[in-house]
Amino acid sequence: MSGRDAADGNGTRRTETEGDPETVVVGAGPVGAVTALYLAPRFGPVTLLEKREDPRRAPGGQGRSLVVMLSARGWRALSDLGVADAVRGICVPLHGRRGHLPDGRTRFTPYSRDGRPIWAVERERLHRILLDAAEAAPGVRIRFGQRVRSVDLDEPAVLVEDRHGRYRLTCRRVLGCDGAHSAARAALVARGTRAEVRTLDLAYQEIDVPGGRLDGAMTHYWPSGRAMFAAHPLPSGRFSGSLFMRREGPAPSYAAAAGGRDLYGMFAAHFPELTGAVPDIAEQLAVKAVSTLTAVRCDRWVWQDTFALLGDACHAMAPFMGHGMNCGFEDARVLAGCLGAAAGRAAGLAAGLAAYEKSRIEDADAISRLSYRHYFTMADPRRAETAVDVLRGRLTALFPDRFVPLYERCAFTEEGYASVLRDERRLDRLAADLLERHGTALVSASDDRLSACTRSLVPDTATLEDTGCS
Ligand SMILES: Cc1cc2nc3c(=O)[nH]c(=O)nc-3n(C[C@H](O)[C@H](O)[C@H](O)COP(=O)(O)OP(=O)(O)OC[C@H]3O[C@@H](n4cnc5c(N)ncnc54)[C@H](O)[C@@H]3O)c2cc1C
């Protein structure tokens, strides 16, 4: 079996002399780099194929200011791989988020009840650290400017295109970490996998926000009904902002802005406080790219003993819980664990891949749902004031051992997201049941009365004295 052997675009055969890698990882984004770092020490040489040029060599970086949140799952991977200290050095700790409501009030929501922070990091800088680590790791090779055109699941092999033409690279397994618009995923789809790739009805623009006026220890957001502006602090003291609006439909939407009303006018109408805070907002809105958000759901992630998908390639999601990448890092850790556990068994590799798929799909689906739903929680300032939501908040405060706030559970534990979602639904049902039985007055009832009413429905909340509930 030759390592690299194929016809290029002009029909010239090309063979390269490197040995076959055990694993080919398609895509050297954050998840691809983490996957290579997990696999190489235990499962042999890994070649990462990346279609772009090396971002570390690009003058001025990639020109993106995207900030991502690192939570427990992300840190677990970074610690396992020995890069946590380097990453911590470029992070900003965040203790909560402050909502700047349209009526002038502010609303602070801590990320955890005991003051633990989550960590904000510029994705581009994190990516550079991961690429450096992968490049320095024995057994990992990164090749930039290599676009994978297709994956042969049977051999297995990848068909790659670079500036010299096309070639075929064989290996023992292919891992698709090539993002939401994955080419690798197409191989699974061709074998009957159902992949749903949706462009969400929201789009966003990255906006630079000067520091000084905002507290740099927290995320800030300005909800405006169905649009939202969020700002995350950077180590420089400035903020990385994101404007989220609907793509289509009645205002506020990018389509409405493009179709006559200007974007600045719409921005000023919805976020008047921010026009002063970002003096060059009109220029930024005019020149900065409008990006769409994609959600991916896939009903199979693996093929026999040759192929698996990880990260956005199988579960791109709305960004509002801050978990897409954290979840992708967790995929890599779980995959390495499943392959390790299955090694040496008769059906080893296939069993390992099947175990990986089984343990991840439901959780990825759950965090994707939670993430999309969280947009409406954040963007609509009235949401937190509905009877159900106020009651949910009170129940969570009253029974801290029974109900842990959603964000805290996702960010500070490694519990399966699916069980978090199930409990969220239970809490919704409980609040709705209580309101149905006792009316909306229960929202402002005393703690004693609320706990007694709750105890009558949920026996394991029976921690407070029974004060009687009619
Ligand atoms: C506004 C916003 C905010 C976010 N905030 C958070 C957050 O707070 N926390 C969090 O955890 N996540 C967050 N995310 C999600 C996070 O950015 C993604 O989940 C993460 O980047 C996915 O990593 P990935 O490596 O799977 O995919 P990508 O980052 O898309 O990387 C895929 C790589 O594959 C390469 N590639 C693609 N096709 C090919 C091909 N055919 N051949 C070779 N290479 C290929 C690409 O060039 C790219 O380098 C956010 C996303 C957005 C948009």
Side-chain angles (χ1 to χ4, degrees), residues 26-32 49-52 66-69 123 146-148 177-179 183 204 293 311-312 319 322-326:
V26 184
V31 174
L49 298 173
E50 168 57 49
K51 70 177 179 186
R52 297 198 183 118
L66 193 66
V67 165
V68 291
M69 303 299 145
R123 187 170 66 171
Q146 311 292 307
R147 179 187 289 272
V148 170
C177 300
D178 49 344
Y204 73 99
L293 295 168
D312 276 16
H323 275 267
M325 186 186 67
N326 287 287

CSV table of all heavy atoms in Angstrom, one decimal, residues 26-32 49-52 66-69 123 146-148 177-179 183 204 293 311-312 319 322-326, ligand 1:
chain,number,residue,atom,x,y,z
A,26,VAL,N,-8.6,15.3,9.3
A,26,VAL,CA,-9.0,16.3,8.3
A,26,VAL,C,-9.4,17.6,9.0
A,26,VAL,O,-10.3,17.6,9.7
A,26,VAL,CB,-10.2,15.8,7.4
A,26,VAL,CG1,-10.4,16.8,6.3
A,26,VAL,CG2,-9.9,14.4,6.8
A,27,GLY,N,-8.5,18.6,8.8
A,27,GLY,CA,-8.8,19.9,9.4
A,27,GLY,C,-8.0,20.1,10.7
A,27,GLY,O,-8.1,19.3,11.6
A,28,ALA,N,-7.2,21.2,10.7
A,28,ALA,CA,-6.3,21.5,11.8
A,28,ALA,C,-6.9,22.7,12.6
A,28,ALA,O,-6.2,23.6,12.9
A,28,ALA,CB,-4.9,21.7,11.4
A,29,GLY,N,-8.2,22.7,12.8
A,29,GLY,CA,-8.8,23.8,13.6
A,29,GLY,C,-8.5,23.3,15.1
A,29,GLY,O,-7.7,22.4,15.4
A,30,PRO,N,-9.2,24.0,16.1
A,30,PRO,CA,-8.9,23.7,17.5
A,30,PRO,C,-9.2,22.2,17.8
A,30,PRO,O,-8.4,21.5,18.4
A,30,PRO,CB,-9.9,24.6,18.2
A,30,PRO,CG,-10.3,25.6,17.3
A,30,PRO,CD,-10.1,25.1,15.9
A,31,VAL,N,-10.3,21.6,17.2
A,31,VAL,CA,-10.6,20.3,17.6
A,31,VAL,C,-9.7,19.3,16.9
A,31,VAL,O,-9.2,18.3,17.5
A,31,VAL,CB,-12.1,20.0,17.2
A,31,VAL,CG1,-12.4,18.5,17.4
A,31,VAL,CG2,-13.0,20.8,18.1
A,32,GLY,N,-9.3,19.6,15.6
A,32,GLY,CA,-8.3,18.7,14.9
A,32,GLY,C,-7.0,18.6,15.7
A,32,GLY,O,-6.4,17.6,15.9
A,49,LEU,N,-4.3,17.3,8.0
A,49,LEU,CA,-4.3,18.0,6.7
A,49,LEU,C,-5.2,19.2,6.8
A,49,LEU,O,-6.4,19.1,7.2
A,49,LEU,CB,-4.9,17.0,5.7
A,49,LEU,CG,-4.1,15.8,5.4
A,49,LEU,CD1,-4.8,14.8,4.5
A,49,LEU,CD2,-2.7,16.1,4.9
A,50,GLU,N,-4.7,20.4,6.5
A,50,GLU,CA,-5.5,21.6,6.7
A,50,GLU,C,-5.5,22.4,5.4
A,50,GLU,O,-4.5,22.6,4.7
A,50,GLU,CB,-4.8,22.5,7.8
A,50,GLU,CG,-5.3,23.9,7.9
A,50,GLU,CD,-6.8,24.0,8.1
A,50,GLU,OE1,-7.3,23.4,9.0
A,50,GLU,OE2,-7.4,24.8,7.3
A,51,LYS,N,-6.7,22.8,4.9
A,51,LYS,CA,-6.8,23.4,3.6
A,51,LYS,C,-6.2,24.8,3.6
A,51,LYS,O,-5.7,25.2,2.6
A,51,LYS,CB,-8.2,23.4,3.1
A,51,LYS,CG,-9.1,24.4,3.9
A,51,LYS,CD,-10.6,24.4,3.3
A,51,LYS,CE,-11.4,25.3,4.1
A,51,LYS,NZ,-12.8,25.3,3.7
A,52,ARG,N,-6.2,25.5,4.7
A,52,ARG,CA,-5.7,26.9,4.7
A,52,ARG,C,-4.2,26.8,4.9
A,52,ARG,O,-3.6,25.8,5.3
A,52,ARG,CB,-6.3,27.6,5.9
A,52,ARG,CG,-7.8,27.8,5.8
A,52,ARG,CD,-8.3,28.9,6.7
A,52,ARG,NE,-9.7,29.0,6.6
A,52,ARG,CZ,-10.6,28.8,7.6
A,52,ARG,NH1,-10.1,28.6,8.8
A,52,ARG,NH2,-11.9,28.9,7.4
A,66,LEU,N,-12.8,36.9,17.4
A,66,LEU,CA,-13.7,36.0,18.1
A,66,LEU,C,-13.2,35.6,19.5
A,66,LEU,O,-12.0,35.1,19.5
A,66,LEU,CB,-14.1,34.8,17.3
A,66,LEU,CG,-15.3,34.0,17.8
A,66,LEU,CD1,-16.6,34.9,17.7
A,66,LEU,CD2,-15.5,32.8,17.0
A,67,VAL,N,-13.9,35.7,20.5
A,67,VAL,CA,-13.6,35.3,21.8
A,67,VAL,C,-14.4,34.1,22.2
A,67,VAL,O,-15.6,34.1,21.9
A,67,VAL,CB,-13.8,36.4,22.9
A,67,VAL,CG1,-13.7,35.9,24.3
A,67,VAL,CG2,-12.7,37.5,22.7
A,68,VAL,N,-13.8,33.0,22.7
A,68,VAL,CA,-14.6,31.8,23.1
A,68,VAL,C,-14.4,31.6,24.6
A,68,VAL,O,-13.4,31.9,25.2
A,68,VAL,CB,-14.2,30.6,22.3
A,68,VAL,CG1,-14.6,30.7,20.8
A,68,VAL,CG2,-12.7,30.3,22.4
A,69,MET,N,-15.4,31.0,25.2
A,69,MET,CA,-15.4,30.7,26.6
A,69,MET,C,-14.8,29.2,26.8
A,69,MET,O,-15.3,28.3,26.2
A,69,MET,CB,-16.8,30.7,27.2
A,69,MET,CG,-17.5,32.0,27.0
A,69,MET,SD,-16.6,33.3,27.8
A,69,MET,CE,-16.9,34.6,26.7
A,123,ARG,N,-10.0,33.1,20.2
A,123,ARG,CA,-9.9,31.8,19.6
A,123,ARG,C,-8.6,31.7,18.7
A,123,ARG,O,-8.0,30.6,18.7
A,123,ARG,CB,-11.1,31.5,18.7
A,123,ARG,CG,-11.1,30.1,18.1
A,123,ARG,CD,-12.4,29.7,17.4
A,123,ARG,NE,-12.6,30.5,16.2
A,123,ARG,CZ,-13.6,30.2,15.4
A,123,ARG,NH1,-14.4,29.2,15.6
A,123,ARG,NH2,-13.8,31.0,14.3
A,146,GLN,N,-3.6,21.9,2.3
A,146,GLN,CA,-4.0,20.5,1.8
A,146,GLN,C,-5.5,20.4,1.9
A,146,GLN,O,-6.0,20.2,3.0
A,146,GLN,CB,-3.3,19.4,2.6
A,146,GLN,CG,-1.8,19.6,2.7
A,146,GLN,CD,-1.0,19.4,1.4
A,146,GLN,OE1,-1.2,18.4,0.7
A,146,GLN,NE2,-0.2,20.4,1.1
A,147,ARG,N,-6.2,20.5,0.8
A,147,ARG,CA,-7.6,20.4,0.9
A,147,ARG,C,-8.1,19.0,0.6
A,147,ARG,O,-7.8,18.4,-0.4
A,147,ARG,CB,-8.3,21.3,-0.1
A,147,ARG,CG,-9.8,21.3,-0.2
A,147,ARG,CD,-10.4,22.1,-1.3
A,147,ARG,NE,-10.2,23.5,-1.1
A,147,ARG,CZ,-11.1,24.3,-0.5
A,147,ARG,NH1,-12.2,23.7,0.0
A,147,ARG,NH2,-10.9,25.6,-0.3
A,148,VAL,N,-8.8,18.4,1.6
A,148,VAL,CA,-9.3,17.0,1.4
A,148,VAL,C,-10.6,17.1,0.6
A,148,VAL,O,-11.5,17.8,0.9
A,148,VAL,CB,-9.6,16.3,2.8
A,148,VAL,CG1,-10.3,15.0,2.6
A,148,VAL,CG2,-8.2,16.1,3.5
A,177,CYS,N,-12.4,16.4,11.2
A,177,CYS,CA,-12.5,17.5,12.2
A,177,CYS,C,-12.5,18.8,11.3
A,177,CYS,O,-11.9,19.8,11.7
A,177,CYS,CB,-11.3,17.6,13.1
A,177,CYS,SG,-11.1,16.1,14.1
A,178,ASP,N,-13.3,18.8,10.2
A,178,ASP,CA,-13.2,19.9,9.3
A,178,ASP,C,-14.4,20.8,9.3
A,178,ASP,O,-14.7,21.5,8.3
A,178,ASP,CB,-12.9,19.3,7.8
A,178,ASP,CG,-13.9,18.2,7.4
A,178,ASP,OD1,-14.5,17.6,8.3
A,178,ASP,OD2,-14.0,17.9,6.2
A,179,GLY,N,-14.9,21.0,10.5
A,179,GLY,CA,-15.9,22.0,10.7
A,179,GLY,C,-17.3,21.8,10.1
A,179,GLY,O,-17.6,20.8,9.6
A,183,ALA,N,-16.1,18.3,4.5
A,183,ALA,CA,-16.1,17.5,3.3
A,183,ALA,C,-16.0,16.0,3.7
A,183,ALA,O,-16.6,15.1,3.0
A,183,ALA,CB,-14.9,17.8,2.4
A,204,TYR,N,-24.3,37.4,12.6
A,204,TYR,CA,-23.6,38.2,13.5
A,204,TYR,C,-22.5,39.0,12.8
A,204,TYR,O,-22.0,38.6,11.8
A,204,TYR,CB,-23.1,37.4,14.7
A,204,TYR,CG,-21.9,36.5,14.4
A,204,TYR,CD1,-20.6,36.9,14.7
A,204,TYR,CD2,-22.1,35.3,13.8
A,204,TYR,CE1,-19.6,36.1,14.5
A,204,TYR,CE2,-21.1,34.5,13.5
A,204,TYR,CZ,-19.8,34.9,13.9
A,204,TYR,OH,-18.7,34.0,13.6
A,293,LEU,N,-24.6,31.7,11.1
A,293,LEU,CA,-24.4,30.6,12.1
A,293,LEU,C,-25.0,29.3,11.5
A,293,LEU,O,-26.1,29.3,11.1
A,293,LEU,CB,-25.0,31.0,13.4
A,293,LEU,CG,-24.5,32.2,14.1
A,293,LEU,CD1,-25.4,32.6,15.3
A,293,LEU,CD2,-23.1,31.9,14.7
A,311,GLY,N,-16.2,17.3,16.6
A,311,GLY,CA,-16.3,18.8,16.6
A,311,GLY,C,-17.5,19.3,15.8
A,311,GLY,O,-18.5,18.6,15.6
A,312,ASP,N,-17.3,20.5,15.2
A,312,ASP,CA,-18.3,21.1,14.4
A,312,ASP,C,-18.7,20.3,13.2
A,312,ASP,O,-19.8,20.4,12.7
A,312,ASP,CB,-17.9,22.5,13.9
A,312,ASP,CG,-18.1,23.6,15.0
A,312,ASP,OD1,-18.3,23.2,16.2
A,312,ASP,OD2,-18.1,24.8,14.7
A,319,PRO,N,-23.9,29.6,19.3
A,319,PRO,CA,-22.8,29.8,20.3
A,319,PRO,C,-23.2,30.3,21.7
A,319,PRO,O,-22.4,30.6,22.5
A,319,PRO,CB,-22.0,30.9,19.6
A,319,PRO,CG,-22.9,31.7,18.8
A,319,PRO,CD,-24.0,30.7,18.3
A,322,GLY,N,-21.8,28.8,24.8
A,322,GLY,CA,-20.3,28.8,24.8
A,322,GLY,C,-19.7,27.4,24.9
A,322,GLY,O,-18.8,27.2,25.6
A,323,HIS,N,-20.3,26.4,24.2
A,323,HIS,CA,-19.9,25.0,24.3
A,323,HIS,C,-19.4,24.3,23.1
A,323,HIS,O,-19.0,23.2,23.2
A,323,HIS,CB,-21.0,24.2,25.1
A,323,HIS,CG,-20.9,24.4,26.5
A,323,HIS,ND1,-20.1,23.5,27.3
A,323,HIS,CD2,-21.4,25.3,27.3
A,323,HIS,CE1,-20.2,23.9,28.6
A,323,HIS,NE2,-20.9,25.0,28.6
A,324,GLY,N,-19.6,24.9,21.9
A,324,GLY,CA,-19.2,24.2,20.7
A,324,GLY,C,-17.8,23.6,20.7
A,324,GLY,O,-17.6,22.4,20.5
A,325,MET,N,-16.9,24.4,21.0
A,325,MET,CA,-15.5,23.9,21.1
A,325,MET,C,-15.2,23.1,22.3
A,325,MET,O,-14.5,22.0,22.2
A,325,MET,CB,-14.6,25.1,21.1
A,325,MET,CG,-13.1,24.8,20.9
A,325,MET,SD,-12.1,26.3,21.1
A,325,MET,CE,-12.5,26.7,22.9
A,326,ASN,N,-15.7,23.5,23.4
A,326,ASN,CA,-15.6,22.6,24.6
A,326,ASN,C,-16.1,21.2,24.4
A,326,ASN,O,-15.5,20.2,24.8
A,326,ASN,CB,-16.3,23.2,25.8
A,326,ASN,CG,-15.7,24.5,26.3
A,326,ASN,OD1,-14.6,24.4,27.0
A,326,ASN,ND2,-16.2,25.7,26.1
B,1,LIG,C1,-19.8,33.7,17.5
B,1,LIG,C2,-19.3,32.4,18.0
B,1,LIG,C3,-18.9,32.3,19.3
B,1,LIG,C4,-18.5,31.1,19.8
B,1,LIG,N1,-18.2,31.0,21.2
B,1,LIG,C5,-17.8,29.8,21.7
B,1,LIG,C6,-17.5,29.6,23.1
B,1,LIG,O1,-17.7,30.6,23.8
B,1,LIG,N2,-17.1,28.4,23.5
B,1,LIG,C7,-17.0,27.3,22.7
B,1,LIG,O2,-16.7,26.3,23.2
B,1,LIG,N3,-17.3,27.4,21.4
B,1,LIG,C8,-17.7,28.6,20.9
B,1,LIG,N4,-17.9,28.7,19.5
B,1,LIG,C9,-17.8,27.5,18.7
B,1,LIG,C10,-16.4,27.2,18.3
B,1,LIG,O3,-15.8,28.3,17.6
B,1,LIG,C11,-16.4,26.0,17.4
B,1,LIG,O4,-17.2,25.0,18.0
B,1,LIG,C12,-15.0,25.5,17.1
B,1,LIG,O5,-14.3,26.4,16.4
B,1,LIG,C13,-15.1,24.2,16.3
B,1,LIG,O6,-13.8,23.7,16.1
B,1,LIG,P1,-13.5,22.7,14.9
B,1,LIG,O7,-12.1,22.5,14.9
B,1,LIG,O8,-14.5,21.5,15.1
B,1,LIG,O9,-14.0,23.4,13.6
B,1,LIG,P2,-13.4,24.7,12.9
B,1,LIG,O10,-13.0,25.7,13.9
B,1,LIG,O11,-14.4,25.1,11.8
B,1,LIG,O12,-12.1,24.1,12.2
B,1,LIG,C14,-12.2,23.3,11.0
B,1,LIG,C15,-10.8,23.3,10.3
B,1,LIG,O13,-10.9,22.4,9.2
B,1,LIG,C16,-10.4,23.1,8.0
B,1,LIG,N5,-11.0,22.4,6.8
B,1,LIG,C17,-12.3,22.6,6.4
B,1,LIG,N6,-12.6,21.8,5.3
B,1,LIG,C18,-11.4,21.2,5.0
B,1,LIG,C19,-11.0,20.3,4.0
B,1,LIG,N7,-11.8,19.9,3.1
B,1,LIG,N8,-9.7,19.9,4.0
B,1,LIG,C20,-8.8,20.3,5.0
B,1,LIG,N9,-9.1,21.1,5.9
B,1,LIG,C21,-10.4,21.6,6.0
B,1,LIG,C22,-10.8,24.5,8.2
B,1,LIG,O14,-9.9,25.4,7.4
B,1,LIG,C23,-10.5,24.7,9.7
B,1,LIG,O15,-9.2,25.0,10.0
B,1,LIG,C24,-18.4,30.0,19.0
B,1,LIG,C25,-18.6,30.1,17.6
B,1,LIG,C26,-19.1,31.3,17.1
B,1,LIG,C27,-19.4,31.4,15.7
